[in-house]
Amino acid sequence: MAPLPDGFSYAEWNATYNALSFGIAAMGSATIFFWLQLPNVTKSYRTALTITGIVTLIATYHYIRIFNSWSEAFTVASKDGGDYAVQLTGAPFNDGYRYVDWLLTVPLLLIELILVMKLPREETVSLSWKLGLASALMVALGYPGEIQEDLSVRWFWWCLSMIPFCYVVFTLAVGLAEATSKQPSPAAASLASAARYLTVLSWCTYPFVYMVKSVGLAGPAATMYEQVGYSIADVMAKAVFGVLIWAIASEKSAVEESGKLLPK
């Protein structure tokens, strides 16, 4: 864990502070919403919705830890009514919480999508293992580069982590296309497609944010862009994605309960 650079402006510190606070609020409220909706979907989809809430609950916990670590790493004060001055306290800022979070939540995100699509049992088990392990490997390979200041080392680990990343993205974009078309209603198929592509889109932001420190940006500005970028991507990939999972479960529950399943 590299020490934080000195020289943060109040705007840079405040942007990160607010982004982390937004992450806590978004993930926490999403967790409550998902679990309150459990009685409103059929039994077949409750596991997927439960996992969705677990994902955002884990994220809420880790965002609280990151937020507290960020707050403890600085003192912010105004002297004689002047501008706020931001100074390091010497306490470490532990951004490793993000990788612990991703190691737990990223495989679960993929599993909840597979479950809500209600594929044949063998295909569900196979895809859950393959995508879950690939996504965990992606996160594990990304961490050694994240904590390095040496750009060549960062690029090396970035390239390694992109191998399982590309496999997962390809499976979501192409491998699940046929299964999406077999959903029980056009609305469910459209929502499943949106969930797949939202995952691909939000995931593609992570490699670019990861490269912030590898393309000439450094110091407080790089840290701010990294923290704000990861926070926005997380909310999209977990809270917003979770809303789509709930929408799919709700739509398919309504179709199944009405007995209007389309022929396969």
Side-chain angles (χ1 to χ4, degrees), residues 38-66:
L38 280 172
N40 298 328
V41 300
T42 59
K43 188 176 180 180
S44 302
Y45 305 108
R46 287 176 187 167
T47 299
L49 203 56
T50 299
I51 292 174
T52 305
I54 291 172
V55 165
T56 50
L57 178 65
I58 292 171
T60 303
Y61 167 76
H62 284 111
Y63 263 86
I64 291 171
R65 298 301 299 269
I66 297 169

Tab-separated table of all heavy atoms in Angstrom, residues 38-66:
chain	number	residue	atom	x	y	z
A	38	LEU	N	-38.249	-9.443	-1.902
A	38	LEU	CA	-38.225	-10.911	-1.948
A	38	LEU	C	-39.623	-11.547	-1.970
A	38	LEU	O	-39.865	-12.477	-2.751
A	38	LEU	CB	-37.417	-11.459	-0.761
A	38	LEU	CG	-35.901	-11.429	-0.917
A	38	LEU	CD1	-35.224	-11.806	0.394
A	38	LEU	CD2	-35.453	-12.371	-2.034
A	39	PRO	N	-40.573	-11.085	-1.140
A	39	PRO	CA	-41.908	-11.720	-1.183
A	39	PRO	C	-42.660	-11.477	-2.486
A	39	PRO	O	-43.646	-12.164	-2.764
A	39	PRO	CB	-42.644	-11.059	0.003
A	39	PRO	CG	-41.589	-10.431	0.840
A	39	PRO	CD	-40.500	-10.048	-0.089
A	40	ASN	N	-42.205	-10.509	-3.295
A	40	ASN	CA	-42.930	-10.145	-4.501
A	40	ASN	C	-42.479	-10.899	-5.750
A	40	ASN	O	-42.979	-10.632	-6.850
A	40	ASN	CB	-42.798	-8.635	-4.756
A	40	ASN	CG	-43.403	-7.823	-3.631
A	40	ASN	OD1	-44.370	-8.241	-3.001
A	40	ASN	ND2	-42.834	-6.658	-3.361
A	41	VAL	N	-41.513	-11.812	-5.590
A	41	VAL	CA	-41.099	-12.656	-6.713
A	41	VAL	C	-41.332	-14.115	-6.341
A	41	VAL	O	-41.424	-14.460	-5.151
A	41	VAL	CB	-39.619	-12.424	-7.096
A	41	VAL	CG1	-39.388	-10.977	-7.489
A	41	VAL	CG2	-38.674	-12.831	-5.965
A	42	THR	N	-41.442	-14.968	-7.345
A	42	THR	CA	-41.681	-16.386	-7.064
A	42	THR	C	-40.427	-17.036	-6.475
A	42	THR	O	-39.326	-16.496	-6.571
A	42	THR	CB	-42.093	-17.128	-8.344
A	42	THR	OG1	-41.051	-16.997	-9.317
A	42	THR	CG2	-43.382	-16.571	-8.913
A	43	LYS	N	-40.615	-18.204	-5.906
A	43	LYS	CA	-39.545	-18.901	-5.209
A	43	LYS	C	-38.334	-19.136	-6.100
A	43	LYS	O	-37.186	-19.113	-5.637
A	43	LYS	CB	-40.081	-20.236	-4.682
A	43	LYS	CG	-39.121	-20.966	-3.768
A	43	LYS	CD	-39.759	-22.232	-3.208
A	43	LYS	CE	-38.802	-22.982	-2.291
A	43	LYS	NZ	-39.429	-24.219	-1.761
A	44	SER	N	-38.561	-19.342	-7.392
A	44	SER	CA	-37.477	-19.640	-8.330
A	44	SER	C	-36.429	-18.536	-8.392
A	44	SER	O	-35.264	-18.801	-8.718
A	44	SER	CB	-38.037	-19.856	-9.742
A	44	SER	OG	-38.969	-20.904	-9.762
A	45	TYR	N	-36.825	-17.313	-8.097
A	45	TYR	CA	-35.920	-16.172	-8.285
A	45	TYR	C	-35.471	-15.532	-6.968
A	45	TYR	O	-34.737	-14.536	-6.993
A	45	TYR	CB	-36.595	-15.123	-9.178
A	45	TYR	CG	-37.056	-15.717	-10.486
A	45	TYR	CD1	-38.410	-15.920	-10.735
A	45	TYR	CD2	-36.136	-16.126	-11.442
A	45	TYR	CE1	-38.833	-16.490	-11.920
A	45	TYR	CE2	-36.548	-16.702	-12.630
A	45	TYR	CZ	-37.899	-16.891	-12.864
A	45	TYR	OH	-38.310	-17.472	-14.030
A	46	ARG	N	-35.893	-16.087	-5.857
A	46	ARG	CA	-35.538	-15.474	-4.575
A	46	ARG	C	-34.056	-15.630	-4.246
A	46	ARG	O	-33.460	-14.757	-3.611
A	46	ARG	CB	-36.402	-16.056	-3.453
A	46	ARG	CG	-37.840	-15.554	-3.511
A	46	ARG	CD	-38.741	-16.190	-2.485
A	46	ARG	NE	-40.121	-15.786	-2.718
A	46	ARG	CZ	-41.173	-16.369	-2.152
A	46	ARG	NH1	-41.003	-17.397	-1.324
A	46	ARG	NH2	-42.395	-15.949	-2.430
A	47	THR	N	-33.460	-16.733	-4.691
A	47	THR	CA	-32.023	-16.917	-4.439
A	47	THR	C	-31.222	-15.838	-5.154
A	47	THR	O	-30.308	-15.236	-4.577
A	47	THR	CB	-31.557	-18.311	-4.903
A	47	THR	OG1	-32.271	-19.305	-4.181
A	47	THR	CG2	-30.056	-18.478	-4.656
A	48	ALA	N	-31.576	-15.580	-6.415
A	48	ALA	CA	-30.876	-14.544	-7.188
A	48	ALA	C	-31.023	-13.180	-6.526
A	48	ALA	O	-30.050	-12.419	-6.411
A	48	ALA	CB	-31.412	-14.501	-8.615
A	49	LEU	N	-32.234	-12.863	-6.067
A	49	LEU	CA	-32.474	-11.563	-5.444
A	49	LEU	C	-31.793	-11.473	-4.078
A	49	LEU	O	-31.307	-10.407	-3.682
A	49	LEU	CB	-33.976	-11.311	-5.319
A	49	LEU	CG	-34.417	-9.848	-5.203
A	49	LEU	CD1	-33.897	-9.031	-6.374
A	49	LEU	CD2	-35.937	-9.755	-5.134
A	50	THR	N	-31.739	-12.585	-3.355
A	50	THR	CA	-31.018	-12.606	-2.078
A	50	THR	C	-29.540	-12.339	-2.291
A	50	THR	O	-28.914	-11.555	-1.562
A	50	THR	CB	-31.201	-13.972	-1.387
A	50	THR	OG1	-32.593	-14.191	-1.133
A	50	THR	CG2	-30.439	-14.013	-0.070
A	51	ILE	N	-28.961	-12.981	-3.307
A	51	ILE	CA	-27.542	-12.767	-3.611
A	51	ILE	C	-27.295	-11.318	-4.024
A	51	ILE	O	-26.281	-10.716	-3.651
A	51	ILE	CB	-27.073	-13.736	-4.718
A	51	ILE	CG1	-27.087	-15.176	-4.194
A	51	ILE	CG2	-25.671	-13.369	-5.203
A	51	ILE	CD1	-26.773	-16.224	-5.241
A	52	THR	N	-28.236	-10.747	-4.759
A	52	THR	CA	-28.121	-9.342	-5.152
A	52	THR	C	-27.996	-8.444	-3.930
A	52	THR	O	-27.159	-7.535	-3.880
A	52	THR	CB	-29.353	-8.913	-5.979
A	52	THR	OG1	-29.506	-9.796	-7.082
A	52	THR	CG2	-29.205	-7.500	-6.498
A	53	GLY	N	-28.832	-8.709	-2.920
A	53	GLY	CA	-28.764	-7.936	-1.682
A	53	GLY	C	-27.481	-8.186	-0.908
A	53	GLY	O	-26.938	-7.274	-0.274
A	54	ILE	N	-26.978	-9.419	-0.952
A	54	ILE	CA	-25.711	-9.736	-0.275
A	54	ILE	C	-24.563	-8.951	-0.918
A	54	ILE	O	-23.686	-8.424	-0.223
A	54	ILE	CB	-25.432	-11.251	-0.321
A	54	ILE	CG1	-26.428	-11.993	0.567
A	54	ILE	CG2	-24.001	-11.561	0.105
A	54	ILE	CD1	-26.360	-13.498	0.449
A	55	VAL	N	-24.578	-8.863	-2.252
A	55	VAL	CA	-23.542	-8.120	-2.973
A	55	VAL	C	-23.506	-6.668	-2.516
A	55	VAL	O	-22.443	-6.127	-2.186
A	55	VAL	CB	-23.779	-8.207	-4.498
A	55	VAL	CG1	-22.942	-7.154	-5.240
A	55	VAL	CG2	-23.435	-9.591	-5.012
A	56	THR	N	-24.671	-6.017	-2.489
A	56	THR	CA	-24.687	-4.606	-2.099
A	56	THR	C	-24.435	-4.421	-0.601
A	56	THR	O	-23.897	-3.389	-0.188
A	56	THR	CB	-26.015	-3.943	-2.503
A	56	THR	OG1	-27.122	-4.742	-2.058
A	56	THR	CG2	-26.093	-3.782	-4.018
A	57	LEU	N	-24.790	-5.415	0.215
A	57	LEU	CA	-24.478	-5.338	1.643
A	57	LEU	C	-22.969	-5.401	1.862
A	57	LEU	O	-22.411	-4.618	2.651
A	57	LEU	CB	-25.163	-6.481	2.398
A	57	LEU	CG	-24.874	-6.547	3.903
A	57	LEU	CD1	-25.432	-5.309	4.612
A	57	LEU	CD2	-25.468	-7.818	4.509
A	58	ILE	N	-22.296	-6.329	1.191
A	58	ILE	CA	-20.832	-6.426	1.292
A	58	ILE	C	-20.195	-5.113	0.827
A	58	ILE	O	-19.263	-4.598	1.460
A	58	ILE	CB	-20.311	-7.603	0.441
A	58	ILE	CG1	-20.764	-8.937	1.037
A	58	ILE	CG2	-18.786	-7.566	0.344
A	58	ILE	CD1	-20.483	-10.141	0.149
A	59	ALA	N	-20.721	-4.565	-0.279
A	59	ALA	CA	-20.185	-3.307	-0.801
A	59	ALA	C	-20.413	-2.153	0.186
A	59	ALA	O	-19.531	-1.304	0.364
A	59	ALA	CB	-20.824	-2.976	-2.140
A	60	THR	N	-21.581	-2.132	0.835
A	60	THR	CA	-21.854	-1.087	1.834
A	60	THR	C	-20.829	-1.129	2.953
A	60	THR	O	-20.264	-0.089	3.344
A	60	THR	CB	-23.263	-1.265	2.430
A	60	THR	OG1	-24.237	-1.235	1.382
A	60	THR	CG2	-23.572	-0.163	3.433
A	61	TYR	N	-20.568	-2.324	3.453
A	61	TYR	CA	-19.585	-2.482	4.541
A	61	TYR	C	-18.211	-1.969	4.110
A	61	TYR	O	-17.568	-1.202	4.840
A	61	TYR	CB	-19.495	-3.953	4.943
A	61	TYR	CG	-18.313	-4.260	5.825
A	61	TYR	CD1	-18.321	-3.904	7.176
A	61	TYR	CD2	-17.177	-4.880	5.315
A	61	TYR	CE1	-17.222	-4.167	7.985
A	61	TYR	CE2	-16.080	-5.141	6.121
A	61	TYR	CZ	-16.112	-4.791	7.454
A	61	TYR	OH	-15.015	-5.041	8.247
A	62	HIS	N	-17.773	-2.377	2.925
A	62	HIS	CA	-16.434	-1.983	2.494
A	62	HIS	C	-16.356	-0.498	2.157
A	62	HIS	O	-15.312	0.134	2.375
A	62	HIS	CB	-15.989	-2.833	1.305
A	62	HIS	CG	-15.582	-4.214	1.706
A	62	HIS	ND1	-16.308	-5.339	1.384
A	62	HIS	CD2	-14.531	-4.653	2.445
A	62	HIS	CE1	-15.720	-6.408	1.890
A	62	HIS	NE2	-14.646	-6.022	2.539
A	63	TYR	N	-17.447	0.075	1.657
A	63	TYR	CA	-17.425	1.517	1.410
A	63	TYR	C	-17.369	2.312	2.716
A	63	TYR	O	-16.740	3.372	2.773
A	63	TYR	CB	-18.628	1.937	0.557
A	63	TYR	CG	-18.262	2.033	-0.901
A	63	TYR	CD1	-18.303	0.901	-1.710
A	63	TYR	CD2	-17.805	3.214	-1.459
A	63	TYR	CE1	-17.918	0.952	-3.033
A	63	TYR	CE2	-17.424	3.294	-2.781
A	63	TYR	CZ	-17.481	2.159	-3.565
A	63	TYR	OH	-17.076	2.218	-4.881
A	64	ILE	N	-17.993	1.808	3.744
A	64	ILE	CA	-17.879	2.462	5.059
A	64	ILE	C	-16.425	2.413	5.532
A	64	ILE	O	-15.885	3.405	6.042
A	64	ILE	CB	-18.819	1.791	6.083
A	64	ILE	CG1	-20.281	2.093	5.734
A	64	ILE	CG2	-18.503	2.270	7.503
A	64	ILE	CD1	-21.290	1.308	6.557
A	65	ARG	N	-15.776	1.245	5.357
A	65	ARG	CA	-14.380	1.120	5.771
A	65	ARG	C	-13.469	2.040	4.957
A	65	ARG	O	-12.565	2.683	5.508
A	65	ARG	CB	-13.906	-0.337	5.620
A	65	ARG	CG	-14.650	-1.350	6.482
A	65	ARG	CD	-14.538	-1.037	7.972
A	65	ARG	NE	-13.180	-1.061	8.474
A	65	ARG	CZ	-12.572	-2.135	8.992
A	65	ARG	NH1	-13.223	-3.284	9.071
A	65	ARG	NH2	-11.336	-2.056	9.451
A	66	ILE	N	-13.696	2.113	3.635
A	66	ILE	CA	-12.870	2.994	2.789
A	66	ILE	C	-13.109	4.454	3.164
A	66	ILE	O	-12.165	5.252	3.281
A	66	ILE	CB	-13.189	2.769	1.297
A	66	ILE	CG1	-12.844	1.341	0.879
A	66	ILE	CG2	-12.410	3.757	0.420
A	66	ILE	CD1	-13.376	0.961	-0.497
